[in-house]
């Protein structure tokens, strides 16, 4: 009996030792599985955000953004359902300057065509809030959100709430004294959408496995600088859209017959030209595109020299190719005088460039440390 008891005790110790040795691997597998689930959810969010920005661009280009003159976050989900409700909605639109000064005499059918664009944009905006908030709550309750990730995701959610308020702030600017929304507010709305898209991409990429170690600090900084330049360029694009600046000076590479046109600082004080002069705003947007192109080219060359054959170098090369394609689309859009399909392609591809730049930047830094790695460091 004593011999059997000793054997049983020895076996228990062995099993305990095996379990203890296997525990870190089991924890790692669990963490990787949770990361895959969260990452997949964030990629779905990115797709909805992409659709939202495209529909928002179409809403702007079809001059549909002022067709709904009230902000009804809950009741506004339901569109007009009968003729009386359509007439009531149309009557509200008839009271704003865009109707009285630009669209007077518009038929109810024409009004419906612009109404549906704005309604779809608002519905998508509400949808992305649900697509983000509900899974976040589920993941949090089921303890799939690792420590350090929660504040990042809650921050993105709060930015989304702020974006809704800024969207109405933008619309409100065109309901009283203007026939269109303020270009300042439009550019702010677009840039915040791009910032939310960037933050979501960075977090998703940080949760992905990386095949190589992090790049050197110089490569990381230049990759991050390209993300910043892309965001600035999108802001400038918002100003161009708000001023309809792309509808004039439809030549390239010359603008008004020159590389650097005259009368760029005609408004007083001078700073107003960079936000309110269509000519100056378009020129600055062009210059911004040249800057992004040059920096992306230099980043590709430097990364291929510094880290030849690496994943970082391949991503830097693809990023430059995307920037080159985007520049070509932008030139084509300008030369064709901003047709709807080209303008939407230009806006959508800008988001693709930004998203890839953000993913590349995070890729140069490597994945977020796994929870057990953080525990060992502490």
């Amino acid at each position: 009996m004593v011999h059997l008891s000793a054997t049983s005790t020895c076996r228990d110790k062995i099993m305990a030792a095996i379990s203890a040795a296997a525990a870190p691997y089991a924890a790692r597998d669990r963490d990787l599985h949770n990361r895959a689930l969260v990452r997949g959810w964030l990629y779905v969010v990115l797709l909805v955000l992409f659709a939202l920005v495209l529909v928002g661009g179409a809403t702007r280009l079809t001059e549909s953004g002022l067709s709904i003159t009230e902000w009804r976050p809950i009741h506004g989900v339901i569109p007009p359902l009968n003729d009386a409700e359509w007439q009531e909605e149309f009557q509200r639109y008839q009271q704003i300057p865009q109707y009285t000064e630009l669209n007077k005499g518009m038929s109810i059918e024409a009004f419906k065509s612009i109404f549906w664009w704005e309604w779809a944009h608002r519905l998508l905006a509400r949808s992305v809030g649900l697509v983000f908030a509900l899974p976040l709550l589920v993941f949090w309750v089921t303890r799939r959100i690792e420590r350090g990730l929660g504040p990042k995701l809650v921050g993105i959610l709060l930015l989304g709430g702020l974006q809704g308020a800024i969207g109405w702030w933008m619309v409100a600017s065109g309901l009283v004294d203007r026939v269109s929304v303020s270009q300042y507010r439009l550019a702010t709305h677009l840039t915040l959408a791009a910032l939310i898209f960037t933050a979501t991409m960075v977090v998703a990429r940080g949760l992905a496995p990386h095949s190589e170690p992090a790049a050197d600090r110089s490569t990381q900084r230049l990759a991050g600088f390209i993300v910043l330049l892309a965001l600035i360029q999108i802001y400038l694009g918002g100003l161009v859209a708000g001023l309809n600046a792309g509808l004039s000076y439809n030549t390239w590479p010359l603008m008004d017959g020159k590389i650097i046109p005259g009368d760029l600082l005609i408004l007083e004080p001078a700073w107003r030209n960079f936000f309110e002069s269509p000519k100056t705003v378009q020129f600055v947007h062009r210059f911004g595109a040249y800057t992004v192109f040059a920096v992306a080219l230099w980043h590709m060359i430097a990364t291929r020299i510094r880290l030849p054959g690496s994943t970082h170098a391949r991503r830097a090369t693809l990023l430059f190719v995307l920037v080159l394609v985007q520049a070509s689309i932008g030139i084509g859009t300008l030369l064709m005088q901003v047709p709807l399909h080209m303008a939407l392609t230009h806006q959508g591809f800008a988001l693709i460039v930004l998203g890839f730049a953000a993913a590349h930047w995070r890729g140069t830094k490597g994945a977020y440390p796994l929870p057990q790695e953080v525990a060992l460091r502490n």
Side-chain angles (χ1 to χ4, degrees), residues 201 223-224 226-227 230 319 322 352-362:
M201 178 64 80
I226 292 174
V227 176
L319 176 58
L322 292 175
I352 291 173
V353 171
L354 175 65
F356 189 83
H360 170 57
W361 172 60
R362 183 63 241 185

Side-chain angles (χ1 to χ4, degrees), residues 228-354:
L228 177 61
L229 288 177
L231 285 168
I232 293 173
Q233 185 67 353
I234 285 174
Y235 175 80
L236 294 172
L239 293 177
V240 169
L243 292 168
N244 290 318
L247 298 177
S248 55
Y249 308 107
N250 300 106
T251 58
W252 187 86
L254 301 182
M255 180 177 177
D256 199 19
K258 300 177 182 179
I259 295 294
I260 302 178
D263 297 329
L264 292 177
L265 300 177
I266 198 170
L267 299 179
E268 294 290 344
W271 66 264
R272 288 179 54 208
N273 293 277
F274 296 94
F275 302 94
E276 300 177 16
S277 166
K279 187 176 190 178
T280 307
V281 166
Q282 190 196 124
F283 174 75
V284 173
H285 188 54
R286 290 188 185 204
F287 183 79
Y290 302 150
T291 302
V292 173
F293 179 89
V295 174
L297 175 61
W298 172 249
H299 178 60
M300 178 188 70
I301 294 171
T303 307
R304 291 175 70 90
I305 292 173
R306 189 178 291 115
L307 302 167
S310 67
T311 302
H312 305 302
R314 289 191 290 271
R315 283 198 314 269
T317 301
L318 179 54
L319 176 58
F320 173 71
V321 171
L322 292 175
V323 169
L324 179 61
V325 172
Q326 172 67 348
S328 302
I329 295 171
I331 293 169
T333 303
L334 181 70
L335 296 178
M336 296 172 66
Q337 299 186 21
V338 199
L340 178 62
H341 69 284
M342 285 295 291
L344 287 180
T345 302
H346 187 49
Q347 181 165 314
F349 210 82
L351 214 56
I352 291 173
V353 171
L354 175 65

Side-chain angles (χ1 to χ4, degrees), residues 27-28 31-32 35 146 367-376:
R28 179 182 175 83
D31 291 337
L32 290 175
R35 283 191 169 192
E146 60 197 52
Y368 297 135
L370 288 167
Q372 65 266 30
E373 295 173 351
V374 174
L376 289 174

Side-chain angles (χ1 to χ4, degrees), residues 122 252 296 309 364:
R122 295 193 186 195
W252 187 86
T364 64

